[in-house]
């Protein structure tokens, strides 16, 4: 399944959950509580089915996630007639999945934009002429020509009288910045003015833009500390939640108390 298909599926699940919740509330306010329960359940079933499929896939890979609690809370709420609670959990869960997918998609687009901006070659002065060389061939001290619209391929200093640079990709500064001879230029800066000469001070692999890309790639590969902690203790949390829910039902004789514990424990 492609990323675009998965994204459309997540949007559809959120839309169905919202539709079921809002429509059920409208029917309930109209005085038909029985029909409202069926409408709420209608919005929950697609989300619950998708969640169960995802849980089965995770278990096949030996992964036990906190999504099991969400599945238990929706299932228990449906079984014991608390369809409104199930509908709320379905909206919370599908909404959380959609927001996570949206954030991941945005991060991927930003990373792709960073990578597409990386030049593959540079124009170097060589004995009174110009030559096109790969970035790996640039050494500190080389004189490079940066044409209008070109990105500085390596860190260096301005060797011309003046340079006008767009630093938005590096600093977020929207207005071009004027630099005079001898001023430092970070790789990743775009020439917004006339062509100028740049004296390289670092190799491409050691320059600012390459470091930024490495940091972003490392950040995308890693997981947040909270996510790692949640994965580490997911089995313990699941066992504790089921134990508390069972105890609440056992000591009160009311299954709705168990549903309440599962709903509150749902990590949405």
């Amino acid at each position: 399944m492609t990323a675009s298909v998965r994204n459309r599926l997540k949007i559809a699940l959120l839309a169905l959950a919202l539709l079921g919740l809002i429509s059920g509330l409208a029917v309930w306010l109209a005085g038909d509580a029985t029909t409202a329960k069926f409408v709420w359940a209608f919005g929950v079933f697609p989300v619950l089915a998708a969640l169960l499929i995802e849980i089965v896939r995770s278990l096949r890979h030996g992964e036990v996630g906190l999504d099991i609690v969400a599945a238990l809370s929706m299932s228990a709420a449906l079984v014991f007639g608390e369809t409104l609670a199930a509908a709320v959990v379905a909206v919370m869960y599908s909404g959380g999945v959609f927001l996570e997918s949206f954030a991941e998609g945005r991060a991927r687009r930003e990373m792709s934009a960073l990578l597409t901006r990386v030049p593959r070659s540079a124009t170097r002065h060589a004995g009174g002429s110009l030559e096109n060389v790969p970035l790996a061939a640039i050494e500190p001290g080389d004189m490079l020509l940066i044409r209008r619209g070109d990105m500085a391929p390596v860190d260096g200093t301005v060797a011309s009288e003046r340079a006008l640079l767009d630093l938005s990709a590096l600093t977020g500064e929207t207005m071009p910045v004027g630099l005079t001879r001898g001023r430092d230029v970070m790789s990743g800066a775009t020439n917004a003015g006339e062509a100028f000469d740049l004296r390289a001070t670092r190799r491409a692999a050691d320059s600012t833009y390459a470091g930024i890309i490495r940091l972003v790639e490392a950040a995308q590969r890693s997981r947040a500390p909270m996510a790692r902690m949640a994965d580490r203790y997911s089995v313990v949390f699941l066992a504790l939640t089921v134990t508390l829910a069972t105890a609440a039902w056992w000591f009160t004789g009311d299954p709705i108390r168990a549903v309440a514990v599962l709903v509150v424990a749902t990590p949405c």
Side-chain angles (χ1 to χ4, degrees):
M1 186 183 296
T2 64
S4 60
V5 173
R6 287 196 297 270
N7 289 337
R8 287 197 292 269
L9 177 60
K10 291 172 183 177
I11 294 173
L13 289 175
L14 176 58
L16 286 173
L18 279 172
L19 179 63
L21 177 61
I22 296 172
S23 299
L25 287 173
V27 174
W28 180 78
L29 289 173
D32 192 347
T34 302
T35 304
K37 288 188 174 184
F38 283 106
V39 175
W40 285 324
F42 172 80
V44 173
F45 282 127
V47 177
L48 180 57
L51 176 56
L52 291 175
I53 293 173
E54 189 64 30
I55 290 173
V56 170
R57 289 176 178 173
S58 298
L59 291 176
R60 286 178 178 176
H61 292 88
E63 300 173 358
V64 179
L66 297 179
D67 290 345
I68 296 177
V69 179
L72 287 175
S73 65
M74 281 188 277
S75 301
L78 289 175
V79 168
F80 294 110
E82 296 296 324
T83 52
L84 175 57
V88 171
V89 173
V91 171
M92 293 171 59
Y93 174 78
S94 58
V97 170
F98 169 75
L99 291 176
E100 182 181 16
S101 176
F102 177 80
E104 289 178 353
R106 184 173 181 179
R108 282 194 297 269
R109 288 193 296 272
E110 295 293 341
M111 184 61 192
S112 299
L114 282 174
L115 293 175
T116 55
R117 283 174 47 84
V118 177
R120 300 291 181 260
S121 61
T123 303
R124 182 171 63 185
H125 290 278
S129 62
L130 297 173
E131 60 179 358
N132 200 45
V133 296
L135 294 189
I138 299 175
E139 296 290 337
D142 286 349
M143 185 72 75
L144 308 177
L145 175 65
I146 310 299
R147 298 183 176 89
R148 180 190 289 270
D150 286 350
M151 190 180 83
V154 296
D155 291 347
T157 58
V158 178
S160 300
E161 291 300 324
R162 181 176 172 80
L164 187 65
L165 297 174
D166 177 3
L167 304 179
S168 58
L170 299 172
T171 66
E173 173 62 49
T174 57
M175 297 297 294
V177 176
L179 299 178
T180 55
R181 183 188 296 272
R183 294 290 300 276
D184 291 334
V185 176
M186 293 185 293
S187 59
T190 302
N191 183 10
E194 299 299 324
F196 70 94
D197 291 331
L198 175 74
R199 177 77 67 181
T201 57
R202 291 182 181 177
R203 294 181 175 88
D206 301 326
S207 293
T208 302
Y209 202 68
I212 292 174
I213 291 176
R214 285 195 296 269
L215 286 174
V216 173
E217 288 176 335
Q220 286 195 319
R221 288 193 300 269
S222 65
R223 292 175 61 82
M226 183 62 70
R228 292 197 298 270
M229 185 180 70
D231 289 343
R232 187 179 301 116
Y233 297 107
S234 58
V235 175
V236 176
F237 183 80
L238 175 62
L240 179 62
T241 300
V242 173
T243 300
L244 288 175
T246 304
W249 187 358
W250 176 269
F251 287 109
T252 65
D254 184 4
I256 305 304
R257 300 296 179 91
V259 174
V261 172
L262 293 173
V263 170
V264 170
T266 300
C268 295

